[in-house]
Amino acid sequence: MKSAAPLLALLLPTSSLHAVTATWTGNGANDLWSNPNNWDTPHVPGLGDIAVLDTSSQDWKVDFTGADTNIYAEVRLSGPNTVMFSNKSVTFGKGFTATGGVSLATTNFEFLPGSGQTLIWNSTGTADLDPSANRGLYWQSGVNAGGVFEIQTGTVNVNGYALFNSNGSINILKGGKLNTSDLYTKGAWNNVNSAININGGELTQSTDMDWAGKSDINLTRGVFTVAGKITF
């Protein structure tokens, strides 16, 4: 009897068989994420891979034009300098971590935590999610329900909308700060079950806050400031 093992091996995704750590080099003719010449591996990081953007030597610009809407590599930012993300609404489907002193700037970029994923900001640097994308931090109905954005250390500024149109949560731990200008829930108002969990950190909303449906604000300890009214 012939073995089926070779056939099974052929059916397995090659990315799962050859998962690698791909480090951004920026050696391509452009700044495109989708350009394999910008990575130290023969291919753009995919499912099961780890994509590393280390700013130890310089800042990096990463343009997501033409890239998949879903990034299935785990993304890691590190180093003392800045990474700039631009030109896409991207769901980080296998995790995202920022450590060290790295900072993140965005332009025309929407940041979506993947379903069931915890995206971690644990850097003494600052993340500036700008308003040009309309929704700097976004939970989209039917796309990334249940994703978590956790601020362990450092400051995250969301200058556009921080919008829950689906279930999800933001955790702000001791040493973490979130500054927002428009944090609210939307859509199926009675069905969005999202949460802000402040456990030693700080949340500052610079305008009125519309927090409807089944959503919660849980303040264990820390600081919660709203420069206006809160509508539940």
Side-chain angles (χ1 to χ4, degrees):
M1 180 177 178
K2 293 183 179 180
S3 172
L7 176 59
L8 291 175
L10 290 173
L11 293 175
L12 288 172
T14 55
S15 58
S16 67
L17 294 174
H18 303 287
V20 298
T21 296
T23 300
W24 180 269
T25 64
N27 290 334
N30 51 48
D31 297 323
L32 293 175
W33 174 280
S34 58
N35 184 350
N37 293 326
N38 282 323
W39 301 94
D40 68 351
T41 51
H43 64 276
V44 176
L47 179 63
D49 294 336
I50 299 172
V52 175
L53 292 100
D54 183 356
T55 67
S56 295
S57 59
Q58 66 181 87
D59 297 340
W60 295 119
K61 294 181 179 180
V62 183
D63 186 342
F64 284 85
T65 300
D68 290 337
T69 302
N70 294 289
I71 300 299
Y72 287 114
E74 179 187 349
V75 179
R76 298 179 182 177
L77 275 56
S78 62
N81 294 306
T82 300
V83 176
M84 166 72 82
F85 285 166
S86 64
N87 298 329
K88 198 71 173 183
S89 177
V90 171
T91 300
F92 291 89
K94 290 298 178 181
F96 170 97
T97 306
T99 58
V102 70
S103 292
L104 174 66
T106 64
T107 180
N108 194 30
F109 187 88
E110 292 182 343
F111 204 103
L112 284 73
S115 297
Q117 299 296 314
T118 299
L119 279 57
I120 296 173
W121 187 265
N122 188 22
S123 172
T124 53
T126 299
D128 285 310
L129 310 183
D130 87 324
S132 61
N134 191 28
R135 297 164 298 212
L137 185 59
Y138 187 29
W139 283 259
Q140 183 178 357
S141 179
V143 175
N144 62 326
V148 178
F149 189 82
E150 183 167 287
I151 308 169
Q152 297 181 352
T153 303
T155 300
V156 176
N157 301 314
V158 184
N159 302 309
Y161 294 140
L163 172 60
F164 287 94
N165 198 15
S166 181
N167 301 340
S169 62
I170 298 174
N171 300 332
I172 311 171
L173 308 186
K174 184 178 180 179
K177 297 180 180 180
L178 174 62
N179 300 316
T180 64
S181 59
D182 212 339
L183 171 63
Y184 70 106
T185 59
K186 186 182 179 182
W189 296 95
N190 294 325
N191 295 321
V192 174
N193 189 3
S194 51
I196 304 294
N197 302 306
I198 306 170
N199 190 357
E202 299 180 25
L203 169 60
T204 301
Q205 165 84 358
S206 61
T207 58
D208 293 346
M209 186 171 178
D210 205 340
W211 201 247
K214 302 175 182 177
S215 302
D216 297 322
I217 298 175
N218 302 307
L219 177 60
T220 303
R221 59 182 183 275
V223 179
F224 176 35
T225 304
V226 177
K229 66 180 180 180
I230 305 176
T231 302
F232 289 97

